[in-house]
Amino acid sequence: MANVRGRNVRVEIAATYASDVTVTAVTLASPGVATATAHGLANDTVGYFYDVVGMAQLEKQACRVKNQTTNTFE
C-alpha cells in the first residue's frame, strides 16, 4: 500500500455499488452540470466516470453529486 501525503487528502471506499447511470451531456461550466435522465442519485453520492466518449478529461474521475434535480446534477 502506498503512502498518501498532502493537505486535505480524503479517501473514500464504497462497500456497495449502484447500477450504472448513463450521462448524456456535461457542460463546460464551473461546476459542470451533467445530464442523466431520471438518474436517481442523491446529493453527496460519490460517482466515478468511465467509458467516457467526447470528454476524455472526465475519464477515471470521481465526483460528488451536488444540486441534483430529476435529470441533472453538478
Side-chain angles (χ1 to χ4, degrees), residues 23-64:
V23 173
T24 57
V26 179
T27 67
L28 291 174
S30 180
V33 177
T35 301
T37 304
H39 58 75
L41 300 173
N43 284 329
D44 293 324
T45 300
V46 176
Y48 182 76
F49 285 97
Y50 68 94
D51 291 338
V52 175
V53 175
M55 196 175 225
Q57 59 268 47
L58 291 177
E59 184 68 29
K60 298 181 182 176
Q61 296 296 311
C63 70
R64 183 174 303 277

Side-chain angles (χ1 to χ4, degrees), residues 60-72:
K60 298 181 182 176
Q61 296 296 311
C63 70
R64 183 174 303 277
V65 173
K66 295 289 185 186
N67 298 318
Q68 63 84 19
T69 67
T70 302
N71 297 315
T72 65

